[in-house]
């Protein structure tokens, strides 16, 4: 019985001690929570105060910086921005439309347009024309084959820009279904009744123009040759004039006589020439002084007689 009583007493004591410890632990936990909350509230309050102070300081510094920037901006001169000139419009890359006279000259008439409107892609694709072997790779210029003649090449260029149907046919057929050479051969065979008259007229005009240029060239050569002949005649006349006015020639005529007038003068009449030689001999200084004296004495005797 004592043992049981002791056990019950010990268990009651243990329960009482456990209750006291639990109450004390709860009290301590409550005090700790209260202290923690108080500390957190103080920290939060302090953090908020610090944040407000930092924000106020940042605002103050920003206001000071903005004031300095404003003062500097008012002190600096504002450069004047030059006016931007108006940009001219970009010219259109579309080729100008050919005039009606040129279209008429190269056979692009209303009849041709109406005939072309009745064509279809099958008109070219099913045309009974065999492909000819290419002898050489003929280049293209302005989308037109250069194996065409001058009139056909210009006609093809104009018809591509003036008649949209032909341009469409060529775009869809070449070179997918046929060569460029074959396309234009078929086209000119189809429109031959509408273009042959204008083509023949064009080459006739070129022929007439070439003949006129040839005549003008011959006339120019003839005028040049005539001018050259006249210049040669003038040069001969000037040569004769200069020869007749040559002083040396006059001196030869004075000393020797006019050789061309021998038939007009009397035969044997050379006294003038002898007198001239006497005058030359008398002044030549080749004879001696004695001879001069004898001649002077002879002249004096003849004068007395």
């Amino acid at each position: 019985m004592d043992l049981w009583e002791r056990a019950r007493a010990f268990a009651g004591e243990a329960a009482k001690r456990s209750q006291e410890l639990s109450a004390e632990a709860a009290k301590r936990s409550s005090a700790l929570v209260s202290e923690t909350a108080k500390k957190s509230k103080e920290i939060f309050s302090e953090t908020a105060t610090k944040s407000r102070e930092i924000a106020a300081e940042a605002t103050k510094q920003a206001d000071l910086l903005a004031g300095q920037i404003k003062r500097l901006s008012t002190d600096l001169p504002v450069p004047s921005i030059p006016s931007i000139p108006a940009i001219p419009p970009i010219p259109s890359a579309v080729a100008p439309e050919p005039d009606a006279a040129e279209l008429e000259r190269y056979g692009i008439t209303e009849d041709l347009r109406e005939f072309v409107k009745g064509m279809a892609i099958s008109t070219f694709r099913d045309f009974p024309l065999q492909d000819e072997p290419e002898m050489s790779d003929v280049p293209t210029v302005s989308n037109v084959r250069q194996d065409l003649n001058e009139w056909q090449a210009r006609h093809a260029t104009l018809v591509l820009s003036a008649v949209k149907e032909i341009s469409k046919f060529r775009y869809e057929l070449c070179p997918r279904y046929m060569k460029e050479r074959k396309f234009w051969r078929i086209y000119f065979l189809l429109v031959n009744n509408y273009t042959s008259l204008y083509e023949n007229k064009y080459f006739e005009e070129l022929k007439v123009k070439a003949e006129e240029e040839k005549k003008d060239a011959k006339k120019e050569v003839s005028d040049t040759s005539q001018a050259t002949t006249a210049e040669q005649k003038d040069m001969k006349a000037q040569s004769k004039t200069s020869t007749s006015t040559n002083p040396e020639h006059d001196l030869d005529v004075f000393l020797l006589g006019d050789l061309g007038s021998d038939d007009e003068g009397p035969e044997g009449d050379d006294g003038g020439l002898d007198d001239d030689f006497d005058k030359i001999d008398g002044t030549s200084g080749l004879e001696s002084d004695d001879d001069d004296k004898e001649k002077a004495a002879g002249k004096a005797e003849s004068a007395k007689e």
Side-chain angles (χ1 to χ4, degrees), residues 69-81:
I69 293 173
K70 185 176 181 180
R71 286 195 302 271
L72 291 175
S73 63
T74 55
D75 295 339
L76 293 175
V78 179
S80 60
I81 301 175

Side-chain angles (χ1 to χ4, degrees), residues 287-296:
E287 295 180 356
S288 61
D289 295 338
D290 296 335
D291 294 335
D292 292 339
K293 292 179 180 180
E294 291 177 356
K295 287 182 179 180

